């Protein structure tokens, strides 16, 4: 299996790198698990788009359509956390289980839910909104909700990497 990683820059550049990478591969299908929020409703006119995101240039970007124009193969489309939950159930720590929950804490909070043999999608934000849940008390950080914890984490990383706030 070949692996490659691209930094998330402007969508035209990032998606261009993805297309260039897969162009000479004999892929039969492509599955996409991406940051969000994204539109996962196939009946929506913006299906396949990244919707409202703080990532520069990505808001309302037609992610799925751009790749569909480059490749004539079936596509899977979901959030990064639901894709990760599905991966854990299929090949990872949750293999053989009927249900699992996958959490990620980074610049935001995400949760992918696989319950009773299928991925679960919320009404508005597909991977679930747990960002206002209380964080389990820790030795240094107490009484914070997950959004506050993620914000602090983001600020610390930006200061450490010397990226302007």
């Amino acid at each position: 299996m070949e692996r490659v990683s691209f930094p998330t820059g402007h969508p035209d550049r990032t998606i261009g790198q993805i297309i260039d990478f897969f162009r000479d591969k004999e892929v039969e299908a492509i599955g996409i698990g991406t940051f969000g929020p994204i539109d996962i409703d196939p009946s929506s006119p913006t299906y396949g788009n990244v919707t409202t995101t703080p990532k520069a240039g990505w808001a309302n970007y037609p992610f799925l359509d751009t790749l569909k124009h480059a490749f004539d193969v079936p596509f899977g489309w979901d959030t990064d956390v639901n894709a990760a939950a599905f991966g854990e159930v299929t090949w990872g720590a949750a293999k053989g289980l009927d249900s699992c929950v996958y959490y990620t804490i980074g610049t935001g909070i995400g949760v992918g839910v696989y319950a009773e043999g299928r991925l679960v999608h919320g009404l508005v934000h597909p991977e679930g909104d747990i960002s206002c849940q209380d964080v389990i008390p820790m030795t240094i950080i107490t009484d914070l909700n997950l959004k506050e914890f993620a914000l602090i984490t983001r600020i610390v990383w930006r200061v450490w990497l010397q990226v302007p706030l």
Side-chain angles (χ1 to χ4, degrees), residues 98-122:
D98 190 39
S99 301
C100 83
V101 177
Y102 182 93
Y103 291 94
T104 182
I105 300 174
T107 56
I109 308 297
V111 58
V113 179
Y114 186 86
E116 298 179 359
R118 64 184 187 86
L119 290 169
V120 175
H121 296 98

Side-chain angles (χ1 to χ4, degrees), residues 38-61:
I38 62 172
D39 188 345
I40 60 165
D41 178 1
S43 66
S44 169
T46 58
Y47 171 70
N49 286 15
V50 175
T51 59
T52 55
T53 181
K55 294 185 186 298
W58 287 90
N60 302 309
Y61 185 78

Side-chain angles (χ1 to χ4, degrees), residues 8 24 55 72 80-81 104 118 122 129:
T8 305
D24 65 344
K55 294 185 186 298
D72 187 23
D80 51 0
V81 288
T104 182
R118 64 184 187 86
D129 185 2

Side-chain angles (χ1 to χ4, degrees), residues 126-148:
E127 69 259 13
D129 185 2
I130 61 156
S131 57
C132 291
Q133 300 298 315
D134 290 336
V135 173
I136 298 170
M138 302 161 81
T139 56
I140 299 173
I141 302 171
T142 59
D143 299 325
L144 294 176
N145 69 39
L146 290 175
K147 268 188 182 166
E148 293 165 332

Side-chain angles (χ1 to χ4, degrees), residues 6-7 12-22:
F6 306 114
D12 292 335
R13 177 170 167 74
T14 304
I15 299 300
Q17 290 174 311
I18 293 168
I19 290 170
D20 289 345
F21 175 78
F22 282 109

Side-chain angles (χ1 to χ4, degrees), residues 53-77:
T53 181
K55 294 185 186 298
W58 287 90
N60 302 309
Y61 185 78
F63 194 134
L64 185 58
D65 278 350
T66 302
L67 288 175
K68 281 185 170 185
H69 283 96
F71 302 101
D72 187 23
V73 297
F75 279 84
W77 171 253

